[in-house]
Amino acid sequence: MKVKRLLYFFYYIKNMNWDLLNKFQDHYKRRYNLSILRQWYLVFNNSLKYNISILEFYQFGFNDKTHKEKLKWAGTGTMYEFQLQANPKSERVALDDKRIFARKYKKFLAHKIYALDELTEEIIKDLLSMQKVVFKDATGKCGSGVLIKETKNLSLKGFKEYMRKHQFDMVETYIEQHPEINKLSPSGVNTIRIFTKLDKQNNFIILGCRMRISVNSTVDNMAAGNLAAPVDELTGIISGPGVYSDITKRPEKIHPVTKTKIVGFQIPYWNDILNMVEEASYLYPNNKSIGWDVIVTKDGPGLLEGNHDWCKLLWQLPVKKGLKPVLESFRRELEEHPQIHSDGHR
């Protein structure tokens, strides 16, 4: 186990956001009077002991936590191992590629998605009749590889060439989000992330609901500097302040730009959202645990994507507690019942 976690540590170093780490280290140096060398010592030991990444030592607030508290937090290593077990690589194809996802989950979409090789002259004309379109990298993560572009600067003949030149392999119709959500934050499409699982009896279970809230950003991911808030599963009401993954920023009860109240905000069409996500979870039940991204328009909800590698920060930070015990009980189920299939519903 220690060898595996040491390899993970080298992976974290290789993929490090050094600007963000430097920012966190400076913050800890001022707040706790900890030298950079001392921080590296703590980070290394906690990473190996609790299976967390370097940045997660800071984001989980491990410097203020007891050993018992630290054991409850699921870090990158833990999530990777769990999701590999819950969603085998052979079953992930429809979740890894947004083009395939659009085909497999077409009935749940509220917008149109086209792969580059699907674009006909008629489809391009239809897209150009709209004010905006969204270009994407089909395998992009955390909001990367996304461009919202006004169609007035595009042409029928140059549409495909523009996509190839900028390495976009799919295009979507622009989503007009629900007016109430637009009041909360109009800068980007704000999605609801719902974490789900299918247990050994094939019961549909919700592991948590979070509202992702853009802050002067065209995307809503926490990694892009945006907020995430906890949502009450029964009511669809935001139950706590929005938080950042940047430890130098404080939680927000009111949106910092629109001044709309975050706590108490009612997400429209909540029952429809839950019913849609449950039905989608049973479509390909060999993927046992998915993080669904849901959009809400004036006409109802739709799926944006499903994530087999859903985010541990988005899951845990908004509720300010570690949720690893939830994963451990589920992992034991998977070990006891490695092949669970489902055709039933809640």
Side-chain angles (χ1 to χ4, degrees):
M1 181 179 291
K2 286 187 177 180
V3 173
K4 180 189 289 186
R5 293 186 182 181
L6 188 60
L7 292 174
Y8 287 169
F9 192 81
F10 290 135
Y11 171 83
Y12 305 144
I13 291 287
K14 180 182 177 183
N15 293 278
M16 177 57 61
N17 180 337
W18 290 102
D19 289 339
L20 188 59
L21 177 61
N22 291 336
K23 185 178 184 179
F24 288 0
Q25 288 177 333
D26 288 342
H27 179 75
Y28 259 50
K29 190 175 180 180
R30 292 191 303 271
R31 181 175 179 181
Y32 298 105
N33 196 29
L34 285 173
S35 69
I36 302 300
L37 184 62
R38 176 63 179 169
Q39 289 184 49
W40 273 111
Y41 172 81
L42 293 172
V43 164
F44 180 75
N45 280 278
N46 278 266
S47 180
L48 267 59
K49 191 171 186 178
Y50 301 106
N51 210 9
I52 63 170
S53 76
I54 295 169
L55 292 177
E56 286 158 9
F57 169 82
Y58 299 94
Q59 291 163 325
F60 293 165
F62 266 27
N63 197 59
D64 293 321
K65 288 183 169 52
T66 65
H67 167 69
K68 188 176 181 180
E69 290 172 328
K70 292 176 181 179
L71 288 172
K72 295 180 180 179
W73 286 81
T76 295
T78 298
M79 295 303 301
Y80 172 75
E81 292 159 8
F82 162 74
Q83 289 162 347
L84 197 61
Q85 188 178 18
N87 308 312
K89 288 185 177 180
S90 60
E91 303 293 337
R92 295 178 172 186
V93 179
L95 304 175
D96 258 333
D97 190 310
K98 294 179 178 65
R99 295 165 298 184
I100 300 175
F101 180 86
R103 293 197 296 269
K104 298 286 188 181
Y105 293 89
K106 185 177 181 179
K107 67 177 291 186
F108 303 108
L109 303 183
H111 63 308
K112 295 179 181 179
I113 301 175
Y114 302 102
L116 176 59
D117 58 9
E118 294 176 330
L119 292 175
T120 62
E121 185 173 304
E122 197 64 31
I123 291 173
I124 295 173
K125 284 181 179 178
D126 185 48
L127 291 169
L128 290 174
S129 70
M130 302 172 188
Q131 186 178 2
K132 300 176 185 177
V133 292
V134 183
F135 293 112
K136 286 187 177 181
D137 171 1
T139 57
K141 301 287 185 181
C142 298
S144 65
V146 177
L147 175 66
I148 299 172
K149 190 168 180 65
E150 293 186 359
T151 57
K152 65 182 181 181
N153 299 316
L154 298 169
S155 67
L156 180 63
K157 290 184 178 180
F159 197 93
K160 288 186 178 181
E161 183 55 36
Y162 179 87
M163 291 180 66
R164 294 190 187 99
K165 180 180 178 181
H166 296 277
Q167 299 182 326
F168 294 117
D169 42 26
M170 60 182 290
V171 60
E172 301 178 357
T173 54
Y174 183 75
I175 298 164
E176 295 287 351
Q177 64 186 352
H178 193 282
E180 288 303 308
I181 297 178
N182 212 49
K183 289 179 186 177
L184 178 63
S185 180
S187 64
V189 175
N190 305 279
T191 61
I192 301 98
R193 170 68 63 86
I194 301 182
F195 307 97
T196 67
K197 78 168 186 175
L198 298 176
D199 70 9
K200 64 182 178 181
Q201 281 87 31
N202 302 322
N203 295 311
F204 169 79
I205 296 172
I206 293 175
L207 302 179
C209 308
R210 311 287 181 256
M211 182 78 185
R212 303 200 296 187
I213 305 167
S214 59
V215 182
N216 274 346
S217 175
T218 56
V219 296
D220 62 357
N221 306 75
M222 292 187 83
N226 297 300
L227 292 162
V231 178
D232 183 275
E233 175 190 334
L234 298 178
T235 65
I237 295 174
I238 295 180
S239 56
V243 301
Y244 299 96
S245 60
D246 183 341
I247 64 170
T248 67
K249 295 182 178 181
R250 295 183 177 182
E252 308 274 12
K253 292 183 179 180
I254 297 174
H255 194 282
V257 178
T258 66
K259 306 305 177 185
T260 301
K261 288 184 179 179
I262 294 174
V263 180
F265 180 87
Q266 173 68 66
I267 298 171
Y269 291 108
W270 187 247
N271 288 333
D272 292 339
I273 290 171
L274 295 185
N275 290 334
M276 177 187 68
V277 167
E278 179 176 356
E279 186 179 352
S281 296
Y282 284 112
L283 194 58
Y284 296 97
N286 284 336
N287 286 308
K288 302 298 173 193
S289 184
I290 296 174
W292 302 99
D293 287 345
V294 178
I295 57 172
V296 185
T297 72
K298 64 181 178 62
D299 299 315
L303 288 182
L304 186 65
E305 62 185 36
N307 301 272
H308 63 79
D309 53 351
W310 46 268
C311 180
K312 69 278 169 185
L313 298 181
L314 181 58
W315 188 39
Q316 296 171 110
L317 293 186
V319 294
K320 300 179 177 64
K321 66 178 180 180
L323 299 173
K324 187 163 70 171
V326 175
L327 300 184
E328 290 174 339
S329 63
F330 189 27
R331 287 185 71 174
R332 287 193 291 270
E333 287 181 10
L334 292 170
E335 288 166 0
E336 294 169 6
H337 304 268
Q339 296 296 328
I340 306 174
H341 297 276
S342 171
D343 58 4
H345 287 246
R346 176 173 58 177

